[in-house]
Amino acid sequence: MSIAVREIFGFLRPGAQRVGPIGLQFSDERINLVQLDRDGRGQLNLKASASIPYETTRDALLSDAQKVRTLLRSALGKGFRGRTVISAMPPEHVRMLSVAYRPEADREDADLILEQITERLDSEISDYVVDYLPVRTAGDERRALVAVTPAAEVITFLETLRKAGLTVDALEIGPVAVKRLVSAMTMQNQPNNVLVINFGRDVAYMTMISE
């Protein structure tokens, strides 16, 4: 879920020359971090990366901000700059939905999407954080990828990172973040279709994002 992405886009624009925020992922068994910078020619470069296994389960780690701080201390000492991060909610807390809708002249797309999502939730829409990405238009029908997360889970996750000494610029949807990176690295002929392939130990995931 993109909460505040102005700084992200500012960094990814070719004219920007600075170090970007740290990408932070809590995978099933490891914490993964990556940071990019942009040189004077506008090229994105890898500044630092780290992947460190947990000594406990992910749930146990995220329930203790001090454990997160300790793990991050060893990771961030590997060439990273700053403590500003872009992260993603653990996948078990995020529900991904595909929504098809027809635009209406007097209504915003967001309202049409929320109307459909509300019918598919178990409680009030105000109990959730919702973000969406338009992914396809076919004739007079549009389709969006929608991420839905209980607001309480989002607040707990953000508080854990804050207590661990981090500043969170944004929460992202994994495949969307990769798509944005691919687009930023492709200076010409911006791709309309991006296939994101994520290889795990037991399962591989493929996500096609089409605009």
Side-chain angles (χ1 to χ4, degrees), residues 30-93:
R30 309 175 71 89
I31 185 172
N32 300 311
L33 303 96
V34 65
Q35 188 173 38
L36 304 178
D37 62 15
R38 190 181 287 282
D39 62 25
R41 298 174 299 170
Q43 297 293 320
L44 285 174
N45 301 295
L46 177 65
K47 175 174 176 53
S49 64
S51 181
I52 300 177
Y54 307 141
E55 294 181 355
T56 182
T57 65
R58 178 170 59 193
D59 287 345
L61 174 69
L62 290 175
S63 68
D64 189 333
Q66 184 56 48
K67 289 182 179 178
V68 175
R69 180 190 289 270
T70 300
L71 186 62
L72 285 171
R73 186 181 298 119
S74 61
L76 294 175
K78 300 180 183 298
F80 292 91
R81 182 186 298 177
R83 293 296 186 270
T84 299
V85 302
I86 299 169
S87 191
M89 292 292 298
E92 62 266 24
H93 298 311

Short mmCIF file of all heavy atoms in Angstrom, two decimals, residues 30-93:
data_model
loop_
_atom_site.label_atom_id
_atom_site.label_comp_id
_atom_site.label_asym_id
_atom_site.label_seq_id
_atom_site.Cartn_x
_atom_site.Cartn_y
_atom_site.Cartn_z
N ARG A 30 14.09 -14.58 6.48
CA ARG A 30 15.21 -13.65 6.49
C ARG A 30 14.71 -12.22 6.37
O ARG A 30 13.62 -11.97 5.85
CB ARG A 30 16.16 -13.93 5.31
CG ARG A 30 16.60 -15.36 5.17
CD ARG A 30 17.42 -15.57 3.91
NE ARG A 30 18.73 -14.95 4.02
CZ ARG A 30 19.81 -15.55 4.51
NH1 ARG A 30 19.73 -16.82 4.93
NH2 ARG A 30 20.96 -14.95 4.56
N ILE A 31 15.54 -11.30 6.83
CA ILE A 31 15.29 -9.89 6.57
C ILE A 31 16.16 -9.49 5.38
O ILE A 31 17.36 -9.80 5.34
CB ILE A 31 15.61 -9.02 7.81
CG1 ILE A 31 15.22 -7.57 7.55
CG2 ILE A 31 17.06 -9.13 8.23
CD1 ILE A 31 15.33 -6.69 8.79
N ASN A 32 15.55 -8.86 4.38
CA ASN A 32 16.24 -8.46 3.16
C ASN A 32 16.22 -6.95 3.03
O ASN A 32 15.16 -6.32 3.21
CB ASN A 32 15.58 -9.09 1.93
CG ASN A 32 15.59 -10.61 1.99
OD1 ASN A 32 16.61 -11.23 2.25
ND2 ASN A 32 14.43 -11.22 1.75
N LEU A 33 17.37 -6.37 2.73
CA LEU A 33 17.49 -4.92 2.59
C LEU A 33 18.25 -4.59 1.32
O LEU A 33 19.19 -5.30 0.94
CB LEU A 33 18.21 -4.29 3.78
CG LEU A 33 17.63 -4.52 5.17
CD1 LEU A 33 18.34 -5.69 5.85
CD2 LEU A 33 17.77 -3.27 6.03
N VAL A 34 17.87 -3.49 0.68
CA VAL A 34 18.58 -3.02 -0.51
C VAL A 34 18.45 -1.50 -0.56
O VAL A 34 17.44 -0.94 -0.16
CB VAL A 34 18.04 -3.67 -1.80
CG1 VAL A 34 16.60 -3.24 -2.06
CG2 VAL A 34 18.92 -3.35 -2.99
N GLN A 35 19.51 -0.84 -1.04
CA GLN A 35 19.49 0.61 -1.21
C GLN A 35 20.17 0.97 -2.52
O GLN A 35 21.22 0.43 -2.85
CB GLN A 35 20.18 1.31 -0.04
CG GLN A 35 20.03 2.82 -0.06
CD GLN A 35 20.59 3.46 1.21
OE1 GLN A 35 21.60 3.03 1.74
NE2 GLN A 35 19.91 4.50 1.70
N LEU A 36 19.54 1.88 -3.27
CA LEU A 36 20.08 2.33 -4.54
C LEU A 36 20.51 3.78 -4.43
O LEU A 36 20.01 4.53 -3.59
CB LEU A 36 19.03 2.20 -5.65
CG LEU A 36 18.40 0.82 -5.87
CD1 LEU A 36 17.35 0.89 -6.96
CD2 LEU A 36 19.46 -0.21 -6.23
N ASP A 37 21.43 4.19 -5.30
CA ASP A 37 21.71 5.61 -5.46
C ASP A 37 21.74 5.91 -6.96
O ASP A 37 21.72 5.01 -7.79
CB ASP A 37 23.00 6.03 -4.76
CG ASP A 37 24.24 5.33 -5.31
OD1 ASP A 37 24.16 4.75 -6.41
OD2 ASP A 37 25.29 5.36 -4.65
N ARG A 38 21.73 7.19 -7.28
CA ARG A 38 21.73 7.61 -8.68
C ARG A 38 22.95 8.49 -8.91
O ARG A 38 23.20 9.43 -8.15
CB ARG A 38 20.44 8.37 -9.00
CG ARG A 38 20.25 8.64 -10.49
CD ARG A 38 18.98 9.42 -10.76
NE ARG A 38 17.78 8.63 -10.59
CZ ARG A 38 17.31 7.75 -11.48
NH1 ARG A 38 18.00 7.53 -12.59
NH2 ARG A 38 16.20 7.10 -11.26
N ASP A 39 23.71 8.15 -9.95
CA ASP A 39 24.92 8.92 -10.22
C ASP A 39 24.62 10.17 -11.04
O ASP A 39 23.47 10.45 -11.37
CB ASP A 39 25.98 8.03 -10.90
CG ASP A 39 25.51 7.51 -12.26
OD1 ASP A 39 24.65 8.15 -12.90
OD2 ASP A 39 26.02 6.45 -12.68
N GLY A 40 25.68 10.92 -11.36
CA GLY A 40 25.50 12.16 -12.09
C GLY A 40 24.95 12.00 -13.49
O GLY A 40 24.44 12.96 -14.07
N ARG A 41 25.04 10.81 -14.04
CA ARG A 41 24.48 10.55 -15.37
C ARG A 41 23.04 10.11 -15.31
O ARG A 41 22.43 9.84 -16.34
CB ARG A 41 25.31 9.49 -16.08
CG ARG A 41 26.76 9.87 -16.33
CD ARG A 41 27.54 8.70 -16.89
NE ARG A 41 27.53 7.59 -15.95
CZ ARG A 41 27.96 6.35 -16.24
NH1 ARG A 41 28.41 6.10 -17.46
NH2 ARG A 41 27.95 5.41 -15.33
N GLY A 42 22.50 9.98 -14.09
CA GLY A 42 21.10 9.57 -13.95
C GLY A 42 20.91 8.08 -13.87
O GLY A 42 19.78 7.59 -13.89
N GLN A 43 22.00 7.32 -13.77
CA GLN A 43 21.90 5.87 -13.72
C GLN A 43 21.69 5.39 -12.28
O GLN A 43 22.34 5.86 -11.35
CB GLN A 43 23.18 5.23 -14.28
CG GLN A 43 23.44 5.53 -15.73
CD GLN A 43 22.40 4.91 -16.66
OE1 GLN A 43 21.97 3.78 -16.44
NE2 GLN A 43 22.00 5.65 -17.67
N LEU A 44 20.79 4.41 -12.13
CA LEU A 44 20.58 3.80 -10.82
C LEU A 44 21.68 2.77 -10.57
O LEU A 44 22.01 1.97 -11.45
CB LEU A 44 19.22 3.11 -10.76
CG LEU A 44 17.99 4.02 -10.62
CD1 LEU A 44 16.71 3.19 -10.73
CD2 LEU A 44 18.01 4.78 -9.31
N ASN A 45 22.23 2.78 -9.35
CA ASN A 45 23.28 1.84 -8.98
C ASN A 45 22.97 1.23 -7.62
O ASN A 45 22.31 1.85 -6.78
CB ASN A 45 24.63 2.57 -8.90
CG ASN A 45 25.01 3.22 -10.21
OD1 ASN A 45 25.24 2.55 -11.20
ND2 ASN A 45 25.04 4.55 -10.21
N LEU A 46 23.45 0.02 -7.42
CA LEU A 46 23.30 -0.64 -6.13
C LEU A 46 24.29 -0.05 -5.14
O LEU A 46 25.49 -0.12 -5.35
CB LEU A 46 23.53 -2.15 -6.27
CG LEU A 46 23.46 -2.96 -4.98
CD1 LEU A 46 22.05 -2.92 -4.39
CD2 LEU A 46 23.89 -4.41 -5.24
N LYS A 47 23.80 0.52 -4.05
CA LYS A 47 24.67 1.07 -3.02
C LYS A 47 24.99 0.03 -1.96
O LYS A 47 26.14 -0.13 -1.55
CB LYS A 47 24.04 2.29 -2.36
CG LYS A 47 24.86 2.83 -1.19
CD LYS A 47 24.32 4.11 -0.64
CE LYS A 47 25.11 4.56 0.59
NZ LYS A 47 26.57 4.62 0.31
N ALA A 48 23.96 -0.71 -1.49
CA ALA A 48 24.18 -1.70 -0.43
C ALA A 48 23.05 -2.72 -0.46
O ALA A 48 21.92 -2.42 -0.88
CB ALA A 48 24.24 -1.02 0.93
N SER A 49 23.36 -3.92 0.02
CA SER A 49 22.33 -4.95 0.15
C SER A 49 22.73 -5.90 1.27
O SER A 49 23.92 -6.06 1.57
CB SER A 49 22.14 -5.72 -1.16
OG SER A 49 23.32 -6.44 -1.51
N ALA A 50 21.74 -6.54 1.87
CA ALA A 50 22.00 -7.49 2.94
C ALA A 50 20.82 -8.44 3.07
O ALA A 50 19.68 -8.08 2.78
CB ALA A 50 22.24 -6.78 4.27
N SER A 51 21.10 -9.66 3.48
CA SER A 51 20.07 -10.66 3.73
C SER A 51 20.51 -11.48 4.94
O SER A 51 21.50 -12.20 4.87
CB SER A 51 19.88 -11.57 2.50
OG SER A 51 18.85 -12.51 2.73
N ILE A 52 19.78 -11.35 6.05
CA ILE A 52 20.19 -11.94 7.32
C ILE A 52 19.08 -12.83 7.85
O ILE A 52 17.93 -12.39 7.96
CB ILE A 52 20.54 -10.85 8.34
CG1 ILE A 52 21.69 -9.99 7.80
CG2 ILE A 52 20.91 -11.46 9.69
CD1 ILE A 52 22.07 -8.85 8.70
N PRO A 53 19.39 -14.08 8.19
CA PRO A 53 18.34 -14.99 8.69
C PRO A 53 17.86 -14.60 10.08
O PRO A 53 18.60 -14.03 10.88
CB PRO A 53 19.03 -16.36 8.69
CG PRO A 53 20.49 -16.03 8.81
CD PRO A 53 20.70 -14.74 8.09
N TYR A 54 16.59 -14.92 10.35
CA TYR A 54 16.05 -14.71 11.70
C TYR A 54 16.60 -15.77 12.65
O TYR A 54 16.93 -16.89 12.24
CB TYR A 54 14.53 -14.82 11.70
CG TYR A 54 13.81 -13.96 10.69
CD1 TYR A 54 12.69 -14.45 10.01
CD2 TYR A 54 14.21 -12.66 10.44
CE1 TYR A 54 12.01 -13.67 9.10
CE2 TYR A 54 13.54 -11.87 9.52
CZ TYR A 54 12.43 -12.38 8.85
OH TYR A 54 11.76 -11.60 7.95
N GLU A 55 16.63 -15.43 13.92
CA GLU A 55 16.93 -16.42 14.95
C GLU A 55 15.65 -16.99 15.54
O GLU A 55 15.70 -17.87 16.40
CB GLU A 55 17.78 -15.79 16.05
CG GLU A 55 19.17 -15.37 15.56
CD GLU A 55 20.00 -14.78 16.67
OE1 GLU A 55 19.46 -14.62 17.79
OE2 GLU A 55 21.18 -14.48 16.43
N THR A 56 14.51 -16.46 15.09
CA THR A 56 13.20 -16.90 15.55
C THR A 56 12.24 -16.85 14.38
O THR A 56 12.68 -16.70 13.24
CB THR A 56 12.72 -16.01 16.71
OG1 THR A 56 11.46 -16.48 17.18
CG2 THR A 56 12.58 -14.57 16.27
N THR A 57 10.95 -16.98 14.61
CA THR A 57 9.99 -16.86 13.52
C THR A 57 9.74 -15.39 13.20
O THR A 57 10.03 -14.50 14.00
CB THR A 57 8.65 -17.51 13.90
OG1 THR A 57 8.06 -16.77 14.99
CG2 THR A 57 8.84 -18.96 14.30
N ARG A 58 9.18 -15.13 12.03
CA ARG A 58 8.89 -13.75 11.65
C ARG A 58 7.89 -13.12 12.61
O ARG A 58 8.05 -11.97 13.02
CB ARG A 58 8.34 -13.69 10.22
CG ARG A 58 7.95 -12.28 9.77
CD ARG A 58 7.65 -12.22 8.30
NE ARG A 58 6.56 -13.11 7.94
CZ ARG A 58 6.25 -13.45 6.69
NH1 ARG A 58 6.98 -12.97 5.69
NH2 ARG A 58 5.25 -14.25 6.42
N ASP A 59 6.84 -13.85 12.97
CA ASP A 59 5.84 -13.31 13.88
C ASP A 59 6.45 -12.94 15.23
O ASP A 59 6.15 -11.89 15.80
CB ASP A 59 4.69 -14.31 14.08
CG ASP A 59 3.78 -14.40 12.86
OD1 ASP A 59 3.87 -13.51 12.00
OD2 ASP A 59 3.00 -15.37 12.78
N ALA A 60 7.32 -13.82 15.74
CA ALA A 60 7.96 -13.55 17.02
C ALA A 60 8.88 -12.34 16.92
O ALA A 60 8.96 -11.52 17.85
CB ALA A 60 8.74 -14.77 17.50
N LEU A 61 9.58 -12.21 15.81
CA LEU A 61 10.47 -11.07 15.61
C LEU A 61 9.68 -9.77 15.60
O LEU A 61 10.01 -8.81 16.30
CB LEU A 61 11.24 -11.23 14.31
CG LEU A 61 12.11 -10.03 13.90
CD1 LEU A 61 13.30 -9.89 14.84
CD2 LEU A 61 12.58 -10.18 12.45
N LEU A 62 8.60 -9.73 14.80
CA LEU A 62 7.84 -8.49 14.64
C LEU A 62 7.04 -8.13 15.88
O LEU A 62 6.53 -7.01 15.97
CB LEU A 62 6.92 -8.61 13.42
CG LEU A 62 7.64 -8.61 12.07
CD1 LEU A 62 6.66 -8.85 10.94
CD2 LEU A 62 8.40 -7.31 11.86
N SER A 63 6.92 -9.04 16.82
CA SER A 63 6.23 -8.73 18.06
C SER A 63 7.15 -8.07 19.08
O SER A 63 6.70 -7.67 20.16
CB SER A 63 5.62 -10.01 18.66
OG SER A 63 6.64 -10.89 19.11
N ASP A 64 8.43 -7.94 18.74
CA ASP A 64 9.42 -7.39 19.67
C ASP A 64 10.30 -6.38 18.94
O ASP A 64 11.21 -6.76 18.20
CB ASP A 64 10.27 -8.52 20.25
CG ASP A 64 11.18 -8.06 21.38
OD1 ASP A 64 11.55 -6.88 21.39
OD2 ASP A 64 11.52 -8.91 22.22
N ALA A 65 10.01 -5.10 19.13
CA ALA A 65 10.75 -4.05 18.42
C ALA A 65 12.24 -4.08 18.75
O ALA A 65 13.08 -3.74 17.91
CB ALA A 65 10.17 -2.68 18.74
N GLN A 66 12.59 -4.49 19.96
CA GLN A 66 14.01 -4.54 20.32
C GLN A 66 14.75 -5.60 19.52
O GLN A 66 15.89 -5.40 19.10
CB GLN A 66 14.16 -4.82 21.82
CG GLN A 66 15.61 -4.78 22.31
CD GLN A 66 16.31 -3.47 21.98
OE1 GLN A 66 15.78 -2.39 22.21
NE2 GLN A 66 17.51 -3.56 21.41
N LYS A 67 14.10 -6.73 19.27
CA LYS A 67 14.72 -7.76 18.44
C LYS A 67 14.89 -7.26 17.01
O LYS A 67 15.90 -7.56 16.35
CB LYS A 67 13.87 -9.03 18.46
CG LYS A 67 13.90 -9.79 19.78
CD LYS A 67 13.07 -11.06 19.70
CE LYS A 67 13.12 -11.83 21.00
NZ LYS A 67 12.29 -13.07 20.96
N VAL A 68 13.89 -6.52 16.51
CA VAL A 68 14.01 -5.95 15.17
C VAL A 68 15.17 -4.97 15.13
O VAL A 68 15.97 -4.96 14.19
CB VAL A 68 12.69 -5.26 14.76
CG1 VAL A 68 12.86 -4.57 13.41
CG2 VAL A 68 11.55 -6.26 14.68
N ARG A 69 15.29 -4.12 16.16
CA ARG A 69 16.38 -3.15 16.22
C ARG A 69 17.74 -3.84 16.21
O ARG A 69 18.66 -3.41 15.50
CB ARG A 69 16.24 -2.28 17.48
CG ARG A 69 17.33 -1.23 17.62
CD ARG A 69 17.27 -0.59 19.00
NE ARG A 69 16.12 0.28 19.14
CZ ARG A 69 16.12 1.58 18.84
NH1 ARG A 69 17.24 2.15 18.40
NH2 ARG A 69 15.05 2.31 18.99
N THR A 70 17.87 -4.92 16.98
CA THR A 70 19.14 -5.64 17.04
C THR A 70 19.50 -6.25 15.70
O THR A 70 20.66 -6.17 15.25
CB THR A 70 19.06 -6.74 18.11
OG1 THR A 70 18.79 -6.15 19.39
CG2 THR A 70 20.37 -7.51 18.19
N LEU A 71 18.53 -6.85 15.04
CA LEU A 71 18.78 -7.46 13.74
C LEU A 71 19.14 -6.39 12.71
O LEU A 71 20.05 -6.57 11.90
CB LEU A 71 17.56 -8.25 13.29
CG LEU A 71 17.69 -9.06 11.99
CD1 LEU A 71 18.78 -10.13 12.15
CD2 LEU A 71 16.37 -9.73 11.63
N LEU A 72 18.44 -5.27 12.75
CA LEU A 72 18.71 -4.19 11.81
C LEU A 72 20.09 -3.58 12.02
O LEU A 72 20.75 -3.17 11.07
CB LEU A 72 17.64 -3.11 11.94
CG LEU A 72 16.27 -3.44 11.35
CD1 LEU A 72 15.26 -2.37 11.75
CD2 LEU A 72 16.35 -3.53 9.83
N ARG A 73 20.53 -3.52 13.28
CA ARG A 73 21.83 -2.93 13.56
C ARG A 73 22.93 -3.67 12.82
O ARG A 73 23.85 -3.05 12.25
CB ARG A 73 22.10 -2.94 15.08
CG ARG A 73 23.38 -2.20 15.46
CD ARG A 73 23.62 -2.25 16.96
NE ARG A 73 22.55 -1.59 17.69
CZ ARG A 73 21.77 -2.20 18.56
NH1 ARG A 73 21.93 -3.50 18.82
NH2 ARG A 73 20.84 -1.54 19.20
N SER A 74 22.86 -4.99 12.81
CA SER A 74 23.88 -5.76 12.11
C SER A 74 23.74 -5.64 10.60
O SER A 74 24.74 -5.67 9.87
CB SER A 74 23.81 -7.24 12.53
OG SER A 74 22.55 -7.80 12.18
N ALA A 75 22.50 -5.47 10.13
CA ALA A 75 22.29 -5.37 8.69
C ALA A 75 22.68 -3.99 8.15
O ALA A 75 23.35 -3.88 7.12
CB ALA A 75 20.82 -5.66 8.36
N LEU A 76 22.29 -2.93 8.86
CA LEU A 76 22.52 -1.58 8.36
C LEU A 76 23.98 -1.17 8.44
O LEU A 76 24.38 -0.17 7.84
CB LEU A 76 21.65 -0.59 9.14
CG LEU A 76 20.15 -0.75 8.92
CD1 LEU A 76 19.37 0.20 9.83
CD2 LEU A 76 19.78 -0.51 7.46
N GLY A 77 24.79 -1.94 9.14
CA GLY A 77 26.22 -1.66 9.18
C GLY A 77 26.96 -2.09 7.93
O GLY A 77 28.18 -1.95 7.84
N LYS A 78 26.23 -2.60 6.96
CA LYS A 78 26.86 -3.13 5.74
C LYS A 78 26.80 -2.13 4.59
O LYS A 78 26.51 -2.49 3.45
CB LYS A 78 26.20 -4.45 5.35
CG LYS A 78 26.30 -5.52 6.44
CD LYS A 78 25.64 -6.81 6.01
CE LYS A 78 25.67 -7.84 7.12
NZ LYS A 78 27.04 -8.22 7.51
N GLY A 79 27.02 -0.85 4.87
CA GLY A 79 27.13 0.15 3.81
C GLY A 79 25.88 0.96 3.55
O GLY A 79 25.86 1.77 2.61
N PHE A 80 24.84 0.79 4.34
CA PHE A 80 23.61 1.55 4.14
C PHE A 80 23.75 2.96 4.71
O PHE A 80 24.51 3.20 5.65
CB PHE A 80 22.42 0.85 4.81
CG PHE A 80 22.05 -0.44 4.15
CD1 PHE A 80 22.61 -1.65 4.58
CD2 PHE A 80 21.14 -0.47 3.10
CE1 PHE A 80 22.27 -2.85 3.98
CE2 PHE A 80 20.80 -1.67 2.50
CZ PHE A 80 21.37 -2.87 2.94
N ARG A 81 22.97 3.88 4.16
CA ARG A 81 22.96 5.25 4.66
C ARG A 81 21.55 5.62 5.12
O ARG A 81 20.57 5.43 4.40
CB ARG A 81 23.40 6.24 3.58
CG ARG A 81 23.46 7.70 4.07
CD ARG A 81 23.75 8.66 2.95
NE ARG A 81 25.04 8.40 2.32
CZ ARG A 81 25.50 9.07 1.27
NH1 ARG A 81 24.75 10.02 0.73
NH2 ARG A 81 26.69 8.77 0.76
N GLY A 82 21.47 6.17 6.32
CA GLY A 82 20.19 6.63 6.83
C GLY A 82 19.37 5.52 7.46
O GLY A 82 19.78 4.35 7.51
N ARG A 83 18.19 5.89 7.92
CA ARG A 83 17.26 4.96 8.57
C ARG A 83 15.86 5.09 7.99
O ARG A 83 14.89 4.69 8.62
CB ARG A 83 17.23 5.21 10.08
CG ARG A 83 18.54 4.89 10.81
CD ARG A 83 18.86 3.42 10.73
NE ARG A 83 20.03 3.06 11.53
CZ ARG A 83 21.26 3.07 11.06
NH1 ARG A 83 21.47 3.47 9.81
NH2 ARG A 83 22.27 2.71 11.83
N THR A 84 15.75 5.67 6.80
CA THR A 84 14.45 5.83 6.14
C THR A 84 14.21 4.62 5.25
O THR A 84 15.07 4.26 4.44
CB THR A 84 14.41 7.12 5.31
OG1 THR A 84 14.61 8.23 6.18
CG2 THR A 84 13.05 7.27 4.63
N VAL A 85 13.05 3.99 5.38
CA VAL A 85 12.78 2.74 4.67
C VAL A 85 11.46 2.79 3.91
O VAL A 85 10.56 3.57 4.23
CB VAL A 85 12.75 1.53 5.64
CG1 VAL A 85 14.06 1.41 6.39
CG2 VAL A 85 11.58 1.63 6.60
N ILE A 86 11.40 1.94 2.91
CA ILE A 86 10.14 1.57 2.26
C ILE A 86 9.98 0.08 2.52
O ILE A 86 10.90 -0.70 2.25
CB ILE A 86 10.18 1.82 0.75
CG1 ILE A 86 10.40 3.32 0.46
CG2 ILE A 86 8.90 1.35 0.08
CD1 ILE A 86 10.71 3.61 -0.99
N SER A 87 8.85 -0.31 3.05
CA SER A 87 8.67 -1.71 3.41
C SER A 87 7.34 -2.21 2.87
O SER A 87 6.63 -1.50 2.17
CB SER A 87 8.75 -1.88 4.93
OG SER A 87 8.82 -3.25 5.28
N ALA A 88 7.02 -3.45 3.20
CA ALA A 88 5.76 -4.06 2.79
C ALA A 88 5.23 -4.88 3.95
O ALA A 88 6.00 -5.47 4.71
CB ALA A 88 5.96 -4.95 1.56
N MET A 89 3.92 -4.90 4.08
CA MET A 89 3.31 -5.71 5.12
C MET A 89 3.62 -7.19 4.89
O MET A 89 3.72 -7.64 3.73
CB MET A 89 1.79 -5.52 5.10
CG MET A 89 1.32 -4.15 5.51
SD MET A 89 1.59 -3.80 7.25
CE MET A 89 0.58 -5.07 8.03
N PRO A 90 3.78 -7.97 5.96
CA PRO A 90 3.88 -9.43 5.77
C PRO A 90 2.69 -9.93 4.97
O PRO A 90 1.55 -9.49 5.19
CB PRO A 90 3.86 -9.96 7.21
CG PRO A 90 4.40 -8.84 8.03
CD PRO A 90 3.89 -7.58 7.37
N PRO A 91 2.91 -10.82 4.01
CA PRO A 91 1.84 -11.20 3.07
C PRO A 91 0.60 -11.79 3.71
O PRO A 91 -0.49 -11.69 3.14
CB PRO A 91 2.53 -12.20 2.13
CG PRO A 91 3.74 -12.66 2.87
CD PRO A 91 4.18 -11.51 3.72
N GLU A 92 0.74 -12.41 4.89
CA GLU A 92 -0.44 -13.01 5.50
C GLU A 92 -1.45 -11.95 5.96
O GLU A 92 -2.61 -12.28 6.25
CB GLU A 92 -0.05 -13.90 6.68
CG GLU A 92 0.64 -13.19 7.83
CD GLU A 92 2.14 -13.24 7.72
OE1 GLU A 92 2.64 -13.40 6.59
OE2 GLU A 92 2.81 -13.12 8.77
N HIS A 93 -1.01 -10.68 6.02
CA HIS A 93 -1.91 -9.62 6.45
C HIS A 93 -2.50 -8.85 5.27
O HIS A 93 -3.28 -7.90 5.48
CB HIS A 93 -1.19 -8.64 7.37
CG HIS A 93 -0.69 -9.26 8.62
ND1 HIS A 93 -1.49 -10.05 9.43
CD2 HIS A 93 0.53 -9.22 9.24
CE1 HIS A 93 -0.79 -10.46 10.47
NE2 HIS A 93 0.44 -9.99 10.37
#
